[in-house]
Amino acid sequence: MNASRPAAALSSHEQTRFRLTDHPEHHRILQVQVDPGALAGFVDEVRQIDVQNLEYVPFMRYKLADVLARHVGEDFAATLIGILKDRRHGGFTVGLQDMSTDATDFVRFGTAIAHILGPCNHDAMSGTYYARVVVKHTDDSDSYLRQAYRLFTMHTDGTFVSEATDWLLMMKLAQEHAIGGESRFLHMDDWDDRNRFVDHRLGTRPFLYKAPGSKNVSEMVERPLFFQTEFGLSISFIDQFVQPRNREEAAFLCDLSASMEASPGTKEVSLPVGELVVLNNYFYVHGRAPFEKNESLFRELMRQRGMFA
């Protein structure tokens, strides 16, 4: 058990059915391991709730969260929120542990976890509260999200929308013939070069963000790279959609992005099928390593992002 876990996780687990362990591939992220009996009870109880019902009826998403909390224990919710709000950690993984191979069960489980945290943002790309993203051998999209063989550079989510994005959830629904493609995470406090950029005169100047057509978002948003929140020093950045006004700004942004990519604090994390990761979107940036080329490559991820209740 992690001795430095957040205070919300310190209560007795005698009535609960989960435990926390250190993640083997990341020194900050915690693994949440749920009792298989609790997972089986959840999966069985919600199996009749179809995904279209979840897409159309928002309160059904919270019903899933209630069912999961009831099976695992009421301090489960407080523990998850406590981990994400604790800057020492700010992230966790949890999964169905081979309880199912059905992607629909994965969507239900991910929806339950997300709505324990709070309401999901509307995902304009998919038109509902979540998106399913497929990565294959070929791609003709207008962003790095689906391009398998190049580095998906470090970024935060929600840069080009006015709605707050407190946390990000990513769950692996399926994978075949995939080598590489590990998730990459950098906590701001592990970035050695951070203060060089924070203290630069452009560090707190607002930058303009505009999304490509595939995102179905027409608004343009201005926000600074670095700012203060209840979680301390925070960041908002994505290289693909930030619009520099001149060569000086472009050079600063290019240097910042390269520094995050090369930082020793940037760690690769493997995510098995049926497992999800949730990160605090204010003090983590994330990306993806390239895959090895394979014409049969297939990976499907589910993304949800939202606010704390």
Side-chain angles (χ1 to χ4, degrees):
M1 185 73 73
N2 191 320
S4 63
R5 64 192 186 279
L10 296 177
S11 57
S12 171
H13 287 189
E14 291 180 359
Q15 267 76 55
T16 60
R17 305 175 72 181
F18 69 96
R19 64 190 182 99
L20 305 180
T21 59
D22 295 318
H23 196 283
E25 297 175 334
H26 200 286
H27 62 289
R28 291 187 182 271
I29 292 172
L30 297 179
Q31 283 187 315
V32 182
Q33 297 180 313
V34 180
D35 178 79
L39 290 175
F42 167 78
V43 169
D44 184 64
E45 184 170 342
V46 303
R47 185 161 279 142
Q48 300 309 310
I49 300 175
D50 63 77
V51 170
Q52 186 183 71
N53 190 205
L54 297 174
E55 293 172 355
Y56 287 2
V57 184
F59 64 71
M60 291 301 296
R61 306 166 200 167
Y62 288 99
K63 179 175 180 177
L64 292 184
D66 286 342
V67 173
L68 183 59
R70 175 161 43 82
H71 280 280
V72 183
E74 279 305 321
D75 65 337
F76 183 60
T79 299
L80 297 188
I81 294 168
I83 292 169
L84 290 179
K85 290 187 173 185
D86 186 337
R87 194 174 177 102
R88 294 171 298 172
H89 300 293
F92 65 83
T93 61
V94 65
L96 279 179
Q97 303 174 28
D98 300 322
M99 192 61 56
S100 174
T101 58
D102 185 344
T104 304
D105 287 334
F106 298 161
V107 172
R108 294 187 191 102
F109 181 72
T111 299
I113 294 291
H115 286 79
I116 279 174
L117 307 176
C120 280
N121 297 155
H122 176 72
D123 197 303
M125 190 176 78
S126 65
T128 185
Y129 72 95
Y130 71 100
R132 293 175 67 158
V133 179
V134 172
V135 179
K136 298 186 294 185
H137 176 64
T138 57
D139 172 74
D140 59 0
S141 69
D142 56 5
S143 76
Y144 295 159
L145 181 62
R146 295 183 176 89
Q147 294 183 18
Y149 303 127
R150 67 169 301 147
L151 183 72
F152 189 7
T153 42
M154 306 299 284
H155 63 282
T156 60
D157 272 33
T159 55
F160 53 82
V161 296
S162 54
E163 191 175 23
T165 304
D166 296 341
W167 49 263
L168 167 71
L169 179 154
M170 296 172 287
M171 186 172 196
K172 188 174 289 184
L173 303 184
Q175 181 167 281
E176 297 174 8
H177 308 290
I179 299 175
E182 292 84 5
S183 297
R184 305 176 74 233
F185 304 141
L186 173 62
H187 188 292
M188 283 191 67
D189 296 347
D190 298 330
W191 179 19
D192 291 342
D193 275 352
R194 183 192 71 184
N195 290 347
R196 176 163 68 90
F197 296 100
V198 173
D199 295 338
H200 193 282
R201 65 184 186 83
L202 296 177
T204 54
R205 178 181 294 184
F207 280 85
L208 181 68
Y209 287 87
K210 186 178 186 303
S214 66
K215 305 300 183 184
N216 297 323
V217 175
S218 58
E219 68 178 318
M220 291 186 287
V221 174
E222 278 198 323
R223 50 171 33 104
L225 289 169
F226 301 103
F227 50 96
Q228 291 289 330
T229 67
E230 65 178 288
F231 308 110
L233 183 65
S234 301
I235 185 171
S236 181
F237 173 75
I238 184 168
D239 61 349
Q240 298 170 72
F241 311 142
V242 63
Q243 308 293 320
R245 299 171 181 86
N246 51 51
R247 288 183 297 166
E248 181 191 18
E249 290 188 355
F252 176 74
L253 293 168
C254 185
D255 190 18
L256 177 143
S257 181
S259 173
M260 291 192 293
E261 298 299 335
S263 172
T266 297
K267 305 295 185 183
E268 294 189 349
V269 176
S270 303
L271 198 65
V273 172
E275 187 165 292
L276 62 84
V277 60
V278 187
L279 299 175
N280 188 307
N281 193 53
Y282 290 109
F283 51 80
Y284 273 97
V285 289
H286 64 280
R288 187 189 65 223
F291 292 90
E292 292 186 14
K293 288 194 174 181
N294 189 320
E295 293 186 1
S296 300
L297 169 67
F298 180 87
R299 173 185 283 179
E300 186 176 19
L301 292 178
M302 176 178 66
R303 178 185 66 203
Q304 296 184 47
R305 46 199 176 189
M307 296 170 280
F308 292 113

